[in-house]
Each structure stands twice: as structure tokens, then as C-alpha cells.
Amino acid sequence: MHVLILGGTTEARRLAELLHGTPGLRLTSSLAGRVAAPRLPPGEVRVGGFGGTEGLTAWLREHAADVLVDATHPFAGTMSFHAAEAAADARVPLLALRRPGWVPVPGDRWREVDSLAEAAAALPGLGRRVFLTTGRMGLAAFADLPADLWFLVRSVDAPEPPYPARTEVLLDRGPFTLDGERDLLRRHRIDVVVTKDSGGAATAPKLTAAREAGVPVVVVRRPPAPEGVPVVPTPEDAVTWLLAHPGHRLPPG
């Protein structure tokens, strides 16, 4: 059984690690190529886009893929819809591996919005020293905000303009610790945090640190996802689903 994993996430890499070496299974992981030095999963790896739905459909057919796993980032909405359309066109079963979103708890001061533009519009009046943890893409939404706002931007790779004039860039990669996030908020005198609802544990400590410090958090809600696609929350659940699939020639275990 040939499985194509649309990856680039922690969960995708973990799924590849769990499946690597399984008898009767061939594994290919696809990375978008947006990170300069990604952590490569085991098994076959391809890097770069497919060329939209038609390109992905052609790849699935050409490489005789039996199952497609969408393990992309929760905010890679366009790719998820391409995956659903391509899987239907190529008549290949599709499984979505999607980490659960974050849920506010007592003490959180969240303001939920639907886009980066709405997040930017919400900032004036909330704080003046902003911890921006939405990645290096989309910073243009914050570029024209008042000059009295200062931004700490954390990303894996250095962002490219446009971005706010008063910006300090912190190059770092999760997972992050609670002690580290507490220190970061205190050291940079952060009084408002902006994040996407990425979910998962790797970057969640910032939410706890913000709650402890009484710092408000602007949370960008997830974009819509394709309907009618089976969804599992963890790599382990994905393994169970895949090994029970009729295309797998050996029984689980």
C-alpha cells in the first residue's frame, strides 16, 4: 500500500516515524518547501507544490498512491481543499490528521477573530508591546499599524517585508517550554499576544504564560476545512486507521 502524507507538521513527521518500516507499506511524505531547513521525516520525501488540484491528482495516479493523508497545518486551508478534490478525482481514500484546536480555560483573556487583518485591527487599545506568533507569512497585515506599537516576531525563518517598522525578529523553532515563555513575556515586557489557533502542545505554553501574566491574547480562528473527510486527532489514530485499510496487505501488528 502506497501512502502519500501531505506533511510539514509535527504530526506528519510523527506519523511517518510510526509507519516507517511497516511490512507491505510504501511511504512518501510531501513538504511544501516553505521552510529553508525542514526536519525531514523517514522514508521517501518530495519537496514543493503539486500545481494545484490537477497536479496532485496526476501525482496520485502516476505514483499509484492507495491512500492520501492530509496532515498539513490547520491553516493550510487551500491545500486541504485541493487534497479533497484530488482524492475524489483520483478515487483515492483520504484521511485528515488534524490536531484539535485550543480551548480557553478560566483566566484566559482571549479575543477571537477570523483573520490576520481582524487581529491587526484589534491591537490598538489592547497593548503596545506585541508578541506576534503567527509565523513569517502574513505580516503585511500588521505593517501599517500605528508606530507606537512594537512587535516581537517569532518564526523559523527570517520574514521578508512588509512588516511593522518597529519589529524585533526572534528565530526559533518549537516545542517551547512554559518557563521559556514566561521569561520571554517578562524580558520583552509583552502586554498582548497574537496567535493562530494552531492547536497542539508544541506552542501552547505561550497561552499558559499569557494567562498567568494577565496578558490578553488575540486568537485567529481556523479556516473552514472540507466536509465529509474522516478526521483523526493523533498520529497513533492515523496508524490504526491505515493498518485497518483494505489496501494494507498484512494485518495490524
Side-chain angles (χ1 to χ4, degrees), residues 11-236:
E11 290 78 15
R13 188 169 60 253
R14 177 58 179 160
L15 176 58
E17 291 170 352
L18 292 171
L19 291 175
H20 184 60
T22 300
L25 188 146
R26 176 188 171 194
L27 180 65
T28 303
S29 295
S30 177
L31 309 182
R34 292 183 176 178
V35 177
R39 294 174 177 170
L40 297 180
E44 299 177 39
V45 178
R46 68 172 302 280
V47 178
F50 289 93
T53 301
E54 292 183 359
L56 178 54
T57 302
W59 194 99
L60 292 171
R61 289 171 173 163
E62 179 182 350
H63 295 269
D66 297 291
V67 179
L68 176 61
V69 179
D70 175 15
T72 56
H73 193 276
F75 280 81
T78 299
M79 190 65 220
S80 291
F81 279 95
H82 285 176
E85 293 169 10
D89 291 345
R91 298 185 176 275
V92 170
L94 171 64
L95 174 69
L97 169 54
R98 193 166 297 128
R99 68 183 81 147
W102 291 318
V103 178
V105 301
D108 280 328
R109 298 175 58 195
W110 285 17
R111 178 175 295 194
E112 297 185 79
V113 297
D114 289 320
S115 67
L116 290 176
E118 287 187 22
L123 284 178
L126 282 181
R128 299 179 68 175
R129 297 184 64 83
V130 185
F131 182 26
L132 192 54
T133 67
T134 56
R136 65 187 178 93
M137 311 295 289
L139 297 184
F142 303 87
D144 296 326
L145 288 175
D148 62 341
L149 292 177
W150 177 90
F151 290 83
L152 175 66
V153 173
R154 182 166 67 190
S155 63
V156 176
D157 294 321
E160 297 181 358
Y163 48 75
R166 300 180 63 204
T167 294
E168 179 177 332
V169 176
L170 174 62
L171 299 183
D172 204 354
R173 188 197 304 257
F176 302 105
T177 66
L178 179 54
D179 285 342
E181 300 294 67
R182 286 168 175 157
D183 178 68
L184 184 147
L185 296 186
R186 182 174 55 252
R187 180 160 35 92
H188 293 279
R189 296 179 285 116
I190 299 298
D191 55 15
V192 59
V193 175
V194 181
T195 186
K196 295 177 178 178
D197 179 16
S198 300
T203 60
K206 65 189 170 193
L207 302 175
T208 303
R211 180 171 63 250
E212 293 176 349
V215 171
V217 181
V218 180
V219 180
V220 181
R221 298 185 185 96
R222 294 181 174 188
E227 297 181 356
V229 177
V231 179
V232 293
T234 70
E236 290 75 14

